[in-house]
Amino acid sequence: MEQKNESLFTGFILLGFSDRLQLELVLFVILLIFYIFTLLGNTTIIALSYLDPRLHTPMYFFLSNLSFLDICYTTSIVPQFLFNLSGSDKSISFGGCVVQMYISLVLGCTECILLGVMVFDRYAAVCRPLHYTVIMHPGLCALMASASWITGFANSLLQTVVVFLLPRCGRNKLDHFLCEVPHFFKLACVDTTVNVYETFFAGVIMLLTPVVLIVFSYGWIVRAVLRIKSTAGQRKAFGTCGSHLTVVSLFFGTAIYVYFKPSSNDSQDQDKFMSLFYTVIIPMTNPLIYTLRNRDVKGAMKRVLWKDSDSRRWLRRTV
């Protein structure tokens, strides 16, 4: 049966956590709550950045892009996973798997580059404050954001095509909860050594290159901050970069662990939980990190809420 004709092949079975039925119920409830909070939190960031003129700056332009990415990223994975957790049907169609892999790769790669681009904004703000508005002009911001998206689309197209061209000889059981590149190589019935190296090289470009840029830039940022004589000035400068650095550490740390850790059968469950971390938990915590650590966002939320309450009071008086 495993050697059945691939022309009859209609989809894949995402095994996920099917060997732990009690865990599936707990995961369903937790993921549903996390997904709702992800949508609410990131939508709030986007709305505040649009509604409050004080947030019409390069930093919040990139933050809005990041929030939009997180919404789309989790939406490309979580609804299908919730469906699979809700019943005995663990299948996903061939087209659905292709779309999920392509979109999640696009958004994941774009986020990697965008987080690297955002450190340039922080570098300009801390190290070149007098020239910040000249350096980070709207045209450059739009160009860097567009370059992030274009690179993500191109890399995802290449990897997705390569993966789905591999012969699988009828194998359709994927020991994961999403269609992800490294786990697809295990379905192939040919030697995938070259493909693994190609994926590794792409990972170096998409993951390690932004990390090197971020580390190098923060080296200059720390050097500039330590030259500030006032403690209050240092605290403000570090606070400006703290949220971005926290998000970068969480996202790249887990992604690098999953994509560069040697594969083994004993670590399948560990890989799944780590994948859950950067596909579900991090997109939910990003808005919290930027909101709780950022006075500008807190202030914008208060101004927007007060403006709405003032408008309602005015309407009541006129009526």
Side-chain angles (χ1 to χ4, degrees):
M1 291 297 292
E2 192 170 334
Q3 299 296 325
K4 65 182 178 180
N5 193 329
E6 288 201 18
S7 63
L8 300 176
F9 187 74
T10 58
F12 299 93
I13 306 297
L14 298 176
L15 297 178
F17 300 92
S18 56
D19 56 336
R20 302 180 181 183
L21 296 179
Q22 293 180 340
L23 178 62
E24 283 194 330
L25 179 60
V26 175
L27 275 176
F28 180 86
V29 176
I30 294 175
L31 286 178
L32 182 59
I33 295 172
F34 277 23
Y35 183 54
I36 292 172
F37 275 103
T38 298
L39 297 180
L40 291 175
N42 285 289
T43 301
T44 299
I45 295 291
I46 295 171
L48 289 176
S49 300
Y50 176 77
L51 294 173
D52 194 326
R54 300 187 190 185
L55 299 186
H56 293 175
T57 62
M59 176 180 175
Y60 294 101
F61 168 76
F62 291 123
L63 182 55
S64 296
N65 270 268
L66 186 64
S67 293
F68 178 72
L69 276 169
D70 284 339
I71 290 174
C72 296
Y73 189 47
T74 53
T75 301
S76 70
I77 296 168
V78 174
Q80 177 68 45
F81 190 26
L82 288 173
F83 173 78
N84 291 346
L85 287 173
S86 63
S88 58
D89 185 7
K90 309 296 181 185
S91 65
I92 181 173
S93 67
F94 181 85
C97 198
V98 173
V99 170
Q100 184 185 77
M101 180 182 289
Y102 178 70
I103 292 178
S104 61
L105 262 177
V106 167
L107 299 171
C109 294
T110 303
E111 184 159 348
C112 289
I113 300 172
L114 192 64
L115 286 170
V117 166
M118 289 174 71
V119 78
F120 181 70
D121 172 71
R122 296 299 82 213
Y123 169 81
V126 175
C127 300
R128 298 289 186 270
L130 298 179
H131 302 92
Y132 177 72
T133 54
V134 177
I135 297 173
M136 299 302 298
H137 57 85
L140 179 62
C141 294
L143 180 63
M144 290 193 293
S146 300
S148 301
W149 281 95
I150 292 171
T151 305
F153 275 107
N155 176 70
S156 178
L157 179 62
L158 178 62
Q159 291 202 53
T160 303
V161 169
V162 169
V163 166
F164 281 96
L165 284 177
L166 289 173
R168 292 175 297 277
C169 304
R171 299 174 185 175
N172 68 339
K173 290 184 179 180
L174 192 65
D175 192 12
H176 207 19
F177 62 86
L178 75 154
C179 298
E180 199 170 31
V181 172
H183 296 274
F184 250 81
F185 291 144
K186 298 176 183 178
L187 298 183
C189 54
V190 294
D191 184 17
T192 59
T193 303
V194 175
N195 302 92
V196 170
Y197 282 126
E198 289 175 351
T199 303
F200 180 84
F201 180 71
V204 169
I205 296 175
M206 293 293 112
L207 287 171
L208 296 188
T209 302
V211 167
V212 171
L213 175 64
I214 290 167
V215 171
F216 181 76
S217 299
Y218 270 112
W220 284 99
I221 290 171
V222 170
R223 184 180 178 183
V225 170
L226 292 178
R227 290 178 180 175
I228 301 175
K229 295 182 179 180
S230 67
T231 305
Q234 289 183 348
R235 190 180 299 113
K236 182 179 179 181
F238 278 125
T240 303
C241 303
S243 299
H244 176 256
L245 192 57
T246 303
V247 171
V248 163
S249 301
L250 290 172
F251 181 82
F252 282 105
T254 52
I256 288 173
Y257 175 84
V258 170
Y259 275 84
F260 292 103
K261 180 182 69 64
S263 178
S264 66
N265 294 328
D266 297 333
S267 62
Q268 284 297 323
D269 285 345
Q270 190 176 13
D271 289 347
K272 294 173 191 176
F273 282 111
M274 291 301 292
S275 297
L276 274 176
F277 193 80
Y278 71 80
T279 58
V280 180
I281 297 175
I282 291 178
M284 186 204 69
T285 57
N286 283 353
L288 293 176
I289 293 171
Y290 280 106
T291 301
L292 296 177
R293 296 176 59 92
N294 196 304
R295 294 181 181 179
D296 292 338
V297 176
K298 293 179 184 177
M301 191 175 296
K302 292 177 181 178
R303 285 191 294 272
V304 170
L305 293 176
W306 284 345
K307 185 178 179 180
D308 290 340
S309 61
D310 291 340
S311 299
R312 285 194 293 269
R313 291 195 197 101
W314 182 81
L315 284 173
R316 290 195 196 101
R317 291 172 185 172
T318 55
V319 174

